[in-house]
Amino acid sequence: MKKRSGDAETALSTEATTTITTETITMSSTIWLNPILLVDVNEDAKLDIIVGNDDEKTIMIFLNLGNGTFIQSKMVSHVIEPSRITIGDINNDGKVDIIAPSSISMDIIVFYNVGNGNFNNSMIIPTEAIVSIVKAVDMNKDNKVDLVALDSSTDHIITLLNDGNGVFSKQIRYENITFRSNFQVIDMNNDALPDIVVIRTGYGSSMFVLLNTNNGNFIEQERPPYSLTPSFIEAIDINGDNEMDLVMGFSNYFHIYFAFRNGTFADPIDYHSDYQLSSLETANFDNENKMYIILTHLRNNRISIFSNTGNGTFGEPKIINNIDQSNYASLIDINGEGNAELVVANDQTIKILHLRC
């Protein structure tokens, strides 16, 4: 495991006794949970759960009652990709809406939150192409949520600017990036304009940072290529310097790229895992700049939790054993009580583990 020069080595004890109590949400059928969204949809200060079911073409919403129980509701739509859902307040009414690309047409579907966790109204946003990934973020500082999408056929980035009330009349295509891609939208240079970090795969993998110059225009910066393609990418301020760093997960290790203010990055620091990664999430549940990286290992029925001391240095992970085929885990205060819970999912259940070490 590589560390930066001058970093003190600290280790999170893996020998401490961990008491685990569990709440379980059982699905009515086997599904592939991708993604799991944790968000307060009914404004009661409790995090609810939204998941997509590709087989049944449904979006399931679990409203958190705060006493360890959840109420389930379901939306059925045969024209969306439930595994590609995201969230954002499209119409500026203070409520979280659900956004999904269409699976059969050149459209993005918005399910409007009408209150109390109900999503009864939907709207179709026409696009220039069938898109595979959608992100919802204000790209031009006008306090309206715009959409950034990936063209499924060309892998070009498309920015859809929100005119207001969910009308998207301007679509800007960025054609310089080709080959199969994944991306994150994050402000990399502290100018209050979200930038786009693109992981390009194909003939040699590489990372591009598209610096946002406003109104859908970008300046491109390229990082040196690397031999393997990351399966996961997350953006978070790891070392408390108010710069958004990148965490990239590979087969059985992850890289941390510490960011500089101009949108460039230091050379990566490697952290090895003894088990193959099934998912990678980051967390800062205690607001003390003590970041966590959570890895699931489906084949090994384990979860690894890496924590740092506030300067970006990670020690050995705490291993949670006997987690049945988990393909997702996140560390979060789901009930708003100041305690972190580990939300874990496999194909049939979502478990909320209360860890007391």
Side-chain angles (χ1 to χ4, degrees):
M1 182 168 58
K2 299 179 183 177
K3 292 183 172 63
R4 295 170 299 171
S5 175
D7 280 344
E9 182 169 346
T10 60
L12 177 67
S13 172
T14 58
E15 298 178 356
T17 300
T18 301
T19 302
I20 302 177
T21 57
T22 305
E23 302 166 13
T24 302
I25 301 172
T26 303
M27 305 299 163
S28 58
S29 60
T30 300
I31 64 174
W32 181 254
L33 300 176
N34 183 21
I36 292 180
L37 302 176
L38 302 170
V39 61
D40 181 6
V41 300
N42 56 349
E43 302 173 83
D44 64 354
K46 302 180 185 68
L47 291 179
D48 309 299
I49 300 173
I50 305 174
V51 297
N53 182 343
D54 269 343
D55 290 340
E56 295 183 353
K57 294 295 184 182
T58 59
I59 298 172
M60 290 176 289
I61 302 161
F62 299 91
L63 295 180
N64 186 352
L65 300 183
N67 58 358
T69 60
F70 292 78
I71 295 176
Q72 177 183 343
S73 62
K74 182 184 295 186
M75 294 186 300
V76 179
S77 176
H78 295 286
V79 299
I80 64 169
E81 292 280 3
S83 64
R84 299 293 187 177
I85 58 175
T86 189
I87 53 176
D89 182 5
I90 293 295
N91 55 350
N92 272 7
D93 64 353
K95 301 181 181 67
V96 174
D97 307 309
I98 298 176
I99 305 150
S102 172
S103 60
I104 61 174
S105 61
M106 294 187 292
D107 299 307
I108 295 172
I109 316 298
V110 177
F111 298 92
Y112 282 118
N113 186 344
V114 297
N116 297 317
N118 296 312
F119 296 81
N120 297 331
N121 300 326
S122 63
M123 178 187 70
I124 296 176
I125 302 173
T127 59
E128 298 176 352
I130 294 178
V131 299
S132 57
I133 302 174
V134 179
K135 309 285 186 181
V137 64
D138 181 6
M139 295 298 293
N140 55 354
K141 295 194 292 188
D142 64 354
N143 297 316
K144 302 182 185 72
V145 173
D146 307 304
L147 300 176
V148 182
L150 187 68
D151 185 327
S152 61
S153 60
T154 65
D155 287 323
H156 294 159
I157 298 291
I158 303 173
T159 302
L160 296 85
L161 298 180
N162 190 346
D163 298 336
N165 295 319
V167 177
F168 294 79
S169 61
K170 187 175 183 180
Q171 300 185 27
I172 303 171
R173 179 181 290 266
Y174 189 83
E175 299 182 348
N176 288 18
I177 304 298
T178 57
F179 306 113
R180 186 169 177 264
S181 305
N182 190 8
F183 69 94
Q184 286 282 0
V185 181
I186 196 75
D187 182 6
M188 297 306 305
N189 55 352
N190 281 334
D191 62 355
L193 287 169
D195 309 302
I196 301 176
V197 179
V198 180
I199 303 300
R200 188 182 74 174
T201 64
Y203 301 105
S205 299
S206 56
M207 178 174 70
F208 291 81
V209 177
L210 307 180
L211 294 178
N212 188 350
T213 60
N214 209 354
N215 293 318
N217 300 308
F218 299 91
I219 298 174
E220 180 181 321
Q221 295 184 350
E222 182 177 5
R223 290 283 303 176
Y226 35 82
S227 57
L228 297 177
T229 301
S231 301
F232 313 98
I233 174 173
E234 294 289 334
I236 191 171
D237 179 9
I238 291 177
N239 55 349
D241 63 353
N242 296 318
E243 304 291 340
M244 298 305 295
D245 310 304
L246 294 178
V247 183
M248 295 187 187
F250 298 83
S251 175
N252 62 340
Y253 65 97
F254 60 89
H255 284 170
I256 295 178
Y257 288 85
F258 287 97
F260 301 127
R261 186 169 294 273
N262 60 357
T264 61
F265 298 88
D267 291 335
I269 300 173
D270 300 341
Y271 286 88
H272 178 76
S273 172
D274 291 334
Y275 314 105
Q276 184 174 351
L277 276 62
S278 303
S279 72
L280 183 152
E281 290 289 333
T282 58
N284 177 24
F285 73 91
D286 52 13
N287 293 318
E288 295 179 355
N289 287 327
K290 188 177 181 181
M291 303 301 170
Y292 296 83
I293 296 175
I294 304 99
L295 311 177
T296 61
H297 314 289
L298 184 149
R299 294 181 180 179
N300 306 98
N301 296 326
R302 290 180 170 91
I303 292 174
S304 301
I305 301 176
F306 290 79
S307 64
N308 73 53
T309 58
N311 64 353
T313 302
F314 290 82
E316 294 300 318
K318 175 177 286 295
I319 305 297
I320 309 297
N321 294 303
N322 302 318
I323 304 297
D324 187 27
Q325 294 186 327
S326 60
N327 52 37
Y328 172 89
S330 181
L331 194 64
I332 196 165
D333 180 9
I334 197 166
N335 290 319
E337 299 172 344
N339 299 316
E341 287 83 30
L342 189 64
V343 179
V344 182
N346 60 26
D347 287 353
Q348 290 184 301
T349 62
I350 300 173
K351 293 184 178 181
I352 301 170
L353 281 61
H354 304 270
L355 308 180
R356 301 293 179 264
C357 301

